[in-house]
Amino acid sequence: MTPTAPYEQEIRAAAAHVGRRRFLTVTGAAAALAFTTNLPAAGAAQAAEADARKLTENPFTLGVASGDPQPGSVVLWTRLAPRPYEGGGGMPDARVPVRWEVAYDEKFTRLAGRGRADAHPEFNHSVHIEPTGLAPDRVYYYRFRAGSWISPVGRTRTAPARGAHLSRLKLAAVSCQAYHDGYFTAYRHLAEEDLDVVFHLGDYLYEYPVDAAGGARRYTDRTLPDRFHRETVTLEDYRLRYALYKSDPDLQAAHAAHPFIVTWDDHEVENNYASDISEDDLPPAEFLIRRAAAYRAYWENQPLRRPQRPHGPDARLYRRLHYGQLAQFDILDTRQYRSDQAYGDGWHAPGPESDDPRRTLTGATQERWLIDGWRQSTARWNVLPQQVAFSERRNATGPGYQVSMDAWDGYPASRARVLAGAESAGVDNLVVLTGDVHVHYAFDIKKDFADPASRTAGVEFVTTSIASGKDGADKPANWGTYMAANPHLKFYNGRRGYVTVTLDRDTARGDYRTVSAVTTPGAPVRTAASFVTEAGDPGLKPA
Ligand code: FE
Ligand code: CA
């Protein structure tokens, strides 16, 4: 599909549904974006074909991707950018037709679908195709053509039919890929895994400056342009930063190998923002202009469907996907609707401010949607891909400990409502997938974290970062303290990597994959630990 509604109309439509204060901020965002996104010239199809023929350089520099699998459909993505590190990507300021093909085989001898769509300059010449009529639970191959250029081939997989009793599903969870902290070696290994789908749990990019040597990558064979050496603020900043990240060959390999289901955390906009409150407490109207730019660039660069397309500074990213009768995925957005961090953020002892029952991490609407969805769930496993640590994490034994005000620990009433909702909905097999913290953790989720004897309500697999935090260590300095202070913490590892989770009727198994280094390319991957939990009897055991 291609965008058809002019962006300004969307903003006006969105503004009509919000209150006066929100209207003002949305209008501000509209003004900022209108400056950089002009509307397409009318009736330019022939000119566009001509423009496509004029593409003298390969526009497929950012790879291909697929995502949000449904039983008969999966989103296909690419973006045209012959000179990816330039504003506009080296594309003409005109829409350019792109042809796409889906095939049963890698050589495209048997096609399952084909079509044409326009890549619009308003969306930075990104292309989001939502083909329909594909078969459920099936591997497909896809590619694009613009002018005489043909993209790399991507492999993807549709979701099984809603009623299907599939016997096994293998997914991976990834997060936190600070380009300037190291190579995406973990992605190279992820591309080789046998997976149905990959969940990206946030921090797909970081807003911080990247120097000419690519930070810890210490490039000697290339120099990154100055425009990356500043914090991302404007729409062009964010678009260019996606271009930098998307040009990474290991990231491209992972996207070309598996469909992704993505959600964002903070750094796609700004470190530790909360709703319309920025890290440095800018006026909300000003911060929402930045958020609008960041959300828009995110959608443009991810294999997301139309309902996820932002309207000014708002986007409906939380959503539900099903894999037959085996798994229901409720993908959360814990940034856009949250209360501000208590006690000014950071680590703090729990107290009346963080315990305030009015505080929320999800917002009331998303919380209701989640619990209602659980009530209707018939899935064996209810999986919650989300951003920040769900289980309690004390940083010291005994009284006087602190917890992170940015994670669910800073929103205990919100966590209690979600756990009570899961219990009342009869969710027996809850699996939470988490990113953000740049280390691997395995947790039993306790009904009362202060009481190790209390009921185990589910399990949490926390994936370490792809690159953030540089090489790391198997046992970080606080390893002994954390293990002692948190009896429900079953595993802690501070290397880079990802988690794979294999679900079948009886068990969920997590494999914690680590790479030995990211500041040098080519490190091998290993499994640092494996855990299983049994359906009907939650609690992690070494596998
Ligand atoms: Fe991160
Ligand atoms: Ca984060």
Side-chain angles (χ1 to χ4, degrees):
M1 76 97 203
T2 54
T4 48
Y7 189 56
E8 282 196 82
Q9 279 177 18
E10 290 178 34
I11 292 201
R12 269 184 229 116
H17 289 285
V18 298
R20 175 172 162 72
R21 176 172 159 273
R22 296 286 285 161
F23 175 77
L24 291 172
T25 60
V26 168
T27 305
L33 288 172
F35 187 72
T36 44
T37 59
N38 299 311
L39 298 177
Q46 281 180 331
E49 289 281 3
D51 278 328
R53 284 197 296 274
K54 277 187 282 188
L55 288 174
T56 55
E57 295 166 87
N58 178 17
F60 296 109
T61 58
L62 303 177
V64 298
S66 69
D68 276 27
Q70 292 177 357
S73 172
V74 60
V75 183
L76 310 177
W77 174 94
T78 193
R79 185 156 85 72
L80 308 180
R83 291 190 295 280
Y85 296 173
E86 292 178 12
M91 290 293 289
D93 189 22
R95 66 181 112 155
V96 172
V98 176
R99 292 173 193 280
W100 57 271
E101 287 181 333
V102 179
Y104 297 104
D105 63 305
E106 221 168 335
K107 294 195 170 121
F108 291 82
T109 54
R110 281 186 62 220
L111 289 189
R114 70 198 305 182
R116 198 198 98 136
D118 283 340
H120 288 254
E122 294 77 13
F123 292 101
N124 211 201
H125 291 100
S126 62
V127 180
H128 298 74
I129 309 292
E130 299 182 45
T132 52
L134 303 179
D137 200 16
R138 207 193 152 114
V139 169
Y140 288 98
Y141 298 86
Y142 61 96
R143 65 184 177 186
F144 302 90
R145 200 182 79 201
S148 57
W149 300 95
I150 296 175
S151 76
V153 172
R155 176 191 169 280
T156 190
R157 189 177 185 107
T158 52
R162 268 301 284 279
H165 292 277
L166 63 157
S167 56
R168 180 180 173 273
L169 169 65
K170 187 170 181 184
L171 62 91
V174 299
S175 75
C176 295
Q177 48 197 51
Y179 184 97
H180 55 277
D181 270 2
Y183 290 91
F184 294 165
T185 307
Y187 270 135
R188 179 62 58 178
H189 296 295
L190 185 98
E192 301 296 317
E193 300 264 3
D194 176 20
L195 300 173
D196 294 276
V197 64
V198 176
F199 286 86
H200 199 296
L201 305 175
D203 293 356
Y204 192 95
L205 62 64
Y206 284 70
E207 76 275 27
Y208 304 128
V210 182
D211 68 20
R217 295 185 175 213
R218 290 186 300 253
Y219 288 147
T220 53
D221 60 340
R222 80 199 88 161
T223 303
L224 298 182
D226 262 359
R227 60 176 63 94
F228 295 125
H229 202 202
R230 54 167 287 170
E231 185 163 329
T232 53
V233 177
T234 67
L235 179 58
E236 181 163 280
D237 291 340
Y238 285 107
R239 284 171 162 173
L240 284 165
R241 193 59 62 88
Y242 280 104
L244 175 65
Y245 277 61
K246 288 278 188 183
S247 64
D248 182 276
D250 296 332
L251 178 61
Q252 289 188 8
H255 276 298
H258 311 296
F260 273 52
I261 298 170
V262 301
T263 187
W264 54 40
D265 192 27
D266 52 339
H267 288 287
E268 286 88 350
V269 182
E270 188 207 32
N271 180 52
N272 283 19
Y273 80 94
S275 181
D276 59 1
I277 300 161
S278 70
E279 187 180 23
D280 304 324
D281 294 331
L282 284 178
E286 208 175 304
F287 176 65
L288 284 178
I289 293 171
R290 181 177 182 181
R291 197 177 91 176
Y295 281 10
R296 184 184 176 92
Y298 183 82
W299 185 86
E300 288 172 352
N301 284 282
Q302 299 292 3
L304 286 166
R305 292 180 188 274
R306 260 169 296 188
Q308 275 65 56
R309 196 163 84 201
H311 295 265
D314 302 312
R316 166 70 187 259
L317 195 62
Y318 66 86
R319 60 204 189 278
R320 179 168 294 129
L321 292 165
H322 304 269
Y323 271 69
Q325 291 293 301
L326 191 59
Q328 172 171 314
F329 296 102
D330 291 291
I331 299 110
L332 297 192
D333 174 355
T334 62
R335 281 291 156 197
Q336 194 175 173
Y337 317 102
R338 64 158 71 194
S339 315
D340 197 13
Q341 289 91 350
Y343 298 111
D345 204 0
W347 287 69
H348 200 277
E353 193 178 324
S354 54
D355 289 346
D356 187 336
R358 290 168 303 182
R359 290 168 49 69
T360 177
L361 194 63
T362 57
T365 307
Q366 183 177 201
E367 183 180 293
R368 216 175 309 119
W369 165 88
L370 173 64
I371 294 167
D372 286 349
W374 276 340
R375 280 204 193 96
Q376 285 155 27
S377 173
T378 55
R380 186 70 154 180
W381 299 96
N382 284 283
V383 184
L384 197 58
Q386 55 94 50
Q387 293 76 20
V388 292
F390 189 83
S391 300
E392 187 177 86
R393 247 178 343 141
R394 299 183 179 192
N395 67 354
T397 54
Y401 67 88
Q402 297 171 317
V403 294
S404 168
M405 289 296 124
D406 187 61
W408 288 85
D409 275 343
Y411 302 77
S414 196
R415 177 168 61 197
R417 288 192 297 271
V418 166
L419 284 177
E423 189 172 0
S424 76
V427 168
D428 300 321
N429 300 312
L430 175 65
V431 175
V432 177
L433 304 178
T434 303
D436 180 54
V437 285
H438 310 171
V439 297
H440 279 318
Y441 290 128
F443 286 112
D444 282 350
I445 298 169
K446 304 303 285 186
K447 184 169 181 176
D448 176 6
F449 287 103
D451 175 13
S454 75
R455 192 174 72 84
T456 296
V459 302
E460 180 178 11
F461 296 116
V462 181
T463 182
T464 189
S465 56
I466 291 288
S468 308
K470 303 181 187 165
D471 294 340
D474 286 311
K475 286 192 178 175
N478 58 12
W479 186 89
T481 307
Y482 273 42
M483 295 302 287
N486 301 285
H488 54 283
L489 173 59
K490 304 302 173 188
F491 176 67
Y492 174 13
N493 180 291
R495 293 278 185 203
R496 310 286 75 84
Y498 54 91
V499 177
T500 64
V501 177
T502 310
L503 302 174
D504 62 30
R505 292 289 297 164
D506 304 319
T507 59
R509 175 195 170 104
D511 291 291
Y512 288 87
R513 306 279 276 159
T514 57
V515 292
S516 52
V518 294
T519 57
T520 49
V525 68
R526 64 183 278 264
T527 301
S530 302
F531 290 88
V532 292
T533 182
E534 283 171 37
D537 183 20
L540 292 172
K541 303 177 190 81

